[in-house]
C-alpha cells in the first residue's frame, strides 16, 4: 500500500483567529507532512456564543490564510444544522478520503484535557488519530478516565489510518482569543497577535471593537 499523506484538522471557534492557531497548525503540518484544514465551529456545544457570527469569523480566517496553500479553510460545520460535533466532522471527512489515509484531529493540550466531555469521544479514535499540540499556560493533566483510555494509544508517530495519540511539540506561543477579545474590549489593537491581513479591512474587526464601546 502506498504511503498517503495525512490529512489533519484544527477545529475551533476562531473568535478570532490568531497567530497561536496559525503557527500551531503550520508546525503540525510540517511535523506530520500533512495538509491541515481549519474548521470553524458554528454552534460550539459547550461554550458561550462567539462575539463574531460565523460569516465574520470566516472572513477573518480567509484573510489570515491568504497567500499560502497548506492551511485550508473548511466550512463544513457551518453548512450543517445544529451544534458542531467533531465526531460528525471526522465521519464526513473520513467518508471523503476513504478508509486508508491517515486523518489527524489536532487539539491543543488544554482542549485535549477536556476531551472526555465531547460527544461520543471514544468514537473519535475509530475515525482519526489525535495530535496533541503543546500549549503554554500550565500543565493540562488528564482526568483518570481519559488517561486510562489514551495510555495504550500513545505513539511516537502517526501510523496507519486511525487510533493513536501523538504529542506534537510546537513553539509555545501564549496567545489566546480570550486575551485578544479583552484587548479589543479595552480599546486596544492586538496587532502582531493576529496576522496583518486581518487588520487590512477594518470592518472585519467591528464585532470585536464593539466590545469596547
Ligand atoms: P479562547 O481564548 O476563546 O478559549 P482559543 O484561543 O483557545 O480561544 P479556540 O478557537 O478555542 O481558541 O482554539 C481552537 C483550537 O486551537 C483548540 O484546540 C486550542 O487548544 C488550540 N489553540 C488555540 N490557541 C493555541 C495556542 N496558542 N497554541 C496551541 N494551540 C492553540
Amino acid at each position: 500500500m502506498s504511503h498517503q499523506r495525512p490529512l489533519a484538522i484544527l477545529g475551533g471557534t476562531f473568535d478570532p483567529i490568531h497567530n497561536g492557531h496559525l503557527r500551531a497548525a503550520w508546525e503540525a503540518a510540517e511535523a506530520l507532512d500533512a495538509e491541515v484544514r481549519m474548521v470553524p465551529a458554528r454552534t460550539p456545544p459547550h461554550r458561550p456564543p462567539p462575539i463574531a457570527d460565523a460569516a465574520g469569523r470566516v472572513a477573518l480566517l480567509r484573510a489570515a490564510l491568504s497567500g499560502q496553500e497548506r492551511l485550508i479553510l473548511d466550512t463544513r460545520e457551518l453548512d450543517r444544522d445544529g451544534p458542531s460535533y467533531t465526531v460528525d466532522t471526522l465521519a464526513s471527512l473520513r467518508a471523503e478520503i476513504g478508509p486508508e489515509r491517515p486523518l489527524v484531529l489536532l487539539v491543543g493540550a488544554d482542549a485535549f484535557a477536556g476531551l472526555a466531555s465531547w460527544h461520543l469521544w471514544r468514537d473519535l479514535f475509530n475515525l482519526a488519530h489525535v495530535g496533541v499540540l503543546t500549549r503554554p499556560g500550565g500543565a493540562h493533566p488528564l482526568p483518570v478516565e481519559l488517561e486510562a483510555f489514551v495510555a495504550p494509544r500513545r505513539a511516537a508517530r502517526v501510523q496507519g489510518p486511525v487510533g493513536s495519540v501523538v504529542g506534537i511539540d510546537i513553539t509555545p506561543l501564549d496567545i489566546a482569543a480570550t486575551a485578544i477579545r479583552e484587548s479589543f474590549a479595552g480599546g486596544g489593537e492586538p496587532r502582531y497577535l493576529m496576522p496583518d491581513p486581518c487588520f487590512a479591512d477594518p470592518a472585519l474587526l467591528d464585532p470585536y471593537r464593539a466590545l469596547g464601546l
Side-chain angles (χ1 to χ4, degrees):
M1 185 187 6
S2 65
H3 170 76
Q4 296 200 57
R5 201 161 173 244
L7 178 65
I9 72 164
L10 180 65
T13 322
F14 304 127
D15 186 33
I17 182 77
H18 56 67
N19 289 344
H21 300 126
L22 293 162
R23 187 65 206 167
W26 189 263
E27 290 194 28
E30 290 188 332
L32 300 169
D33 186 25
E35 169 194 322
V36 177
R37 305 271 184 97
M38 308 291 284
V39 185
R42 196 176 80 108
T43 315
H46 32 244
R47 300 183 61 148
I51 300 303
D53 63 14
R57 288 179 290 124
V58 164
L60 279 170
L61 260 162
R62 270 190 217 290
L65 297 175
S66 61
Q68 56 79 48
E69 286 173 356
R70 194 153 200 187
L71 311 182
I72 293 172
L73 176 64
D74 185 323
T75 58
R76 74 187 59 220
E77 292 192 357
L78 307 175
D79 306 333
R80 246 182 3 231
D81 283 339
S84 316
Y85 289 122
T86 300
V87 69
D88 297 332
T89 301
L90 292 178
S92 86
L93 282 163
R94 179 51 78 195
E96 271 177 37
I97 65 176
E100 302 294 345
R101 184 171 173 193
L103 180 61
V104 184
L105 171 67
L106 300 171
V107 287
D110 58 316
F112 185 60
L115 196 83
S117 69
W118 295 19
H119 185 56
L120 298 175
W121 66 275
R122 290 180 183 82
D123 293 347
L124 300 171
F125 296 83
N126 299 323
L127 293 160
H129 301 283
V130 178
V132 184
L133 307 159
T134 48
R135 187 163 187 189
H140 303 284
L142 302 189
V144 176
E145 184 193 20
L146 180 60
E147 177 56 35
F149 188 85
V150 304
R153 293 175 168 78
R154 287 190 196 280
R157 65 189 61 79
V158 160
Q159 261 181 331
V162 303
S164 59
V165 177
V166 295
I168 303 175
D169 280 328
I170 58 167
T171 308
L173 291 176
D174 199 357
I175 303 173
T178 303
I180 290 176
R181 294 192 299 271
E182 285 169 4
S183 169
F184 280 117
E189 177 152 303
R191 278 191 188 259
Y192 310 116
L193 296 176
M194 301 169 66
D196 286 344
C198 293
F199 292 89
D201 174 359
L204 291 183
L205 296 169
D206 279 351
Y208 302 100
R209 292 219 170 86
L211 291 169
L213 300 178

